[in-house]
Amino acid sequence: MTVSNVVNKRFGSMGKDVRAEVERAISELGYRPNASGRSLRLAKRFSIGMVVVDESPTFLADAFITRVVAGLSNYLSQRDYGLVVQGMSARTLPQSALVRRHETDALCVLMSGPASRRRRLLERLAKPGHPVVVLQDVGSDSDGVISIRQDDFGGARELAQHMLSRGGRDFVFMAPDVEWPAIEQRIAGVTSALQGDARSTFAVVNCADGGFSDSQAAIARYVAQSGWPNAIMGGNDQMGISALKWVIDQGLRVPEDILVSGFNAFDTWQYTQPMLTTVISPAYEMGASAGAAILDMLEGNLPSERHRLFPVKLQPGGST
């Protein structure tokens, strides 16, 4: 039992000399616990699944996803849990080994697609009864399901109000073709801010996968068809930076002729000239919070806060 307590970092009232003696013996013997045997004895796999419902094979290139995964993974690894990350389409999720075989103790899910489909998938995942944390969506009231998301609505609303105060009137919002709940909330936040200004206009431009070339092509098509807006809002920093560079390449001045913004503030926004106005995301902290909630639920403690909303922060830059 003493050896088990040392291996599992349950030091309690254990004396320093006893702990040091056990750790010295572990080192000399090269001892490592047998994970399979431990899982069988405790009826736990000591593994958490992270599922990203996204058709794109390069889902891990997304800066928001990588930070969520980093926060979740670092929290779990410090507590001797592993993390299995898989990207898959909505149609393959219900039959995936990660879901069908219960290969993990709990699931953390980040879903794209229409809201009705996301609800059906979440209901399917919650049925087996093991804990589920849904990220960037409202979740459900099912037992064993909690939601963790950032305030995309509030952040986008504050950003639009900031751009209104700088003279923004004709707004364009750049969005990927894939339906992400965060993008839906950002569009709703901008719409809310502009409702009080009768002079403003608002259009959403679909930018395919939101990559650099697709984003620039989308804003170029919009300008060719509808004329120049004087405020462009990227659904994320990548799209915002794409627009910023394209506008400058057309000979316009930012922010004198046109205001440009992004969203999430993941490193690259600081390297633009002028510096991009954006909104700071707590994605890493959200991942760590998801890990804490999952382990709490595995211990039988359902968090009192079933739907946690993380605040975001406006980061004004030279582009507005």
Side-chain angles (χ1 to χ4, degrees):
M1 180 58 72
T2 301
V3 173
S4 177
N5 286 337
V6 172
V7 168
N8 292 291
K9 299 180 175 62
R10 296 191 298 261
F11 304 123
S13 59
M14 185 185 303
K16 292 182 179 179
D17 292 342
V18 172
R19 175 181 170 184
E21 186 177 353
V22 173
E23 289 175 339
R24 183 168 56 251
I26 287 173
S27 177
E28 290 173 356
L29 294 170
Y31 172 73
R32 292 185 300 168
N34 186 298
S36 298
R38 184 180 180 216
S39 296
L40 286 171
R41 182 172 64 83
L42 298 177
K44 288 184 179 179
R45 297 163 184 81
F46 294 95
S47 179
I48 306 301
M50 172 72 184
V51 179
V52 181
V53 181
D54 186 0
E55 301 286 344
S56 172
T58 58
F59 68 97
L60 279 179
D62 182 90
F64 181 87
I65 294 175
T66 58
R67 279 161 176 75
V68 168
V69 170
L72 178 60
S73 176
N74 289 342
Y75 185 91
L76 294 175
S77 65
Q78 292 170 8
R79 288 149 184 86
D80 294 332
Y81 272 78
L83 180 65
V84 179
V85 181
Q86 288 190 359
M88 60 189 73
S89 66
R91 61 182 177 276
T92 59
L93 175 60
Q95 298 304 318
S96 67
L98 196 63
V99 175
R100 184 163 41 85
R101 297 179 186 171
H102 286 237
E103 293 183 345
T104 58
D105 295 313
L107 287 175
C108 188
V109 189
L110 184 62
M111 295 184 289
S112 64
S116 58
R117 189 179 71 185
R118 298 197 307 265
R119 285 194 298 270
R120 289 196 301 271
L121 287 174
L122 187 56
E123 289 170 2
R124 178 72 179 269
L125 294 174
K127 278 185 178 179
H130 62 319
V132 176
V133 172
V134 59
L135 286 160
Q136 285 294 76
D137 212 342
V138 294
S140 75
D141 292 323
S142 301
D143 291 339
V145 178
I146 69 168
S147 67
I148 296 175
R149 58 193 176 99
Q150 66 184 30
D151 188 8
D152 290 290
F153 178 93
R157 191 173 191 277
E158 184 179 4
L159 178 58
Q161 290 171 335
H162 165 79
M163 296 174 78
L164 276 171
S165 72
R166 297 300 190 273
R169 288 293 174 266
D170 302 315
F171 283 75
V172 165
F173 186 95
M174 303 171 69
D177 285 346
V178 176
E179 296 180 61
W180 289 98
I183 295 294
E184 293 172 357
Q185 287 295 303
R186 291 169 199 173
I187 292 173
V190 176
T191 302
S192 173
L194 301 185
Q195 281 177 344
D197 191 312
R199 298 168 296 173
S200 65
T201 63
F202 183 46
V204 177
V205 173
N206 290 326
C207 301
D209 66 356
F212 187 84
S213 298
D214 286 337
S215 295
Q216 290 203 335
I219 197 67
R221 284 193 301 271
Y222 177 85
V223 170
Q225 295 169 4
S226 305
W228 282 98
N230 77 335
I232 299 177
M233 305 180 74
N236 58 29
D237 285 346
Q238 294 94 307
M239 286 183 275
I241 291 170
S242 300
L244 176 65
K245 188 176 188 317
W246 186 81
V247 167
I248 292 174
D249 287 345
Q250 307 315 302
L252 275 72
R253 299 170 302 163
V254 177
E256 292 84 357
D257 300 323
I258 190 165
L259 308 172
V260 182
S261 65
F263 208 101
N264 278 338
F266 296 141
D267 299 336
T268 52
W269 66 276
Q270 301 178 77
Y271 301 110
T272 63
Q273 184 59 40
M275 189 178 291
L276 188 70
T277 291
T278 185
V279 173
I280 299 175
S281 164
Y284 183 92
E285 292 77 10
M286 290 166 62
S289 178
I294 285 172
L295 297 193
D296 280 346
M297 287 192 288
L298 289 174
E299 294 296 325
N301 304 316
L302 186 65
S304 57
E305 196 176 9
R306 297 282 300 278
H307 305 284
R308 183 169 186 188
L309 186 67
F310 275 76
V312 296
K313 182 182 177 182
L314 178 66
Q315 180 63 54
S319 67
T320 57

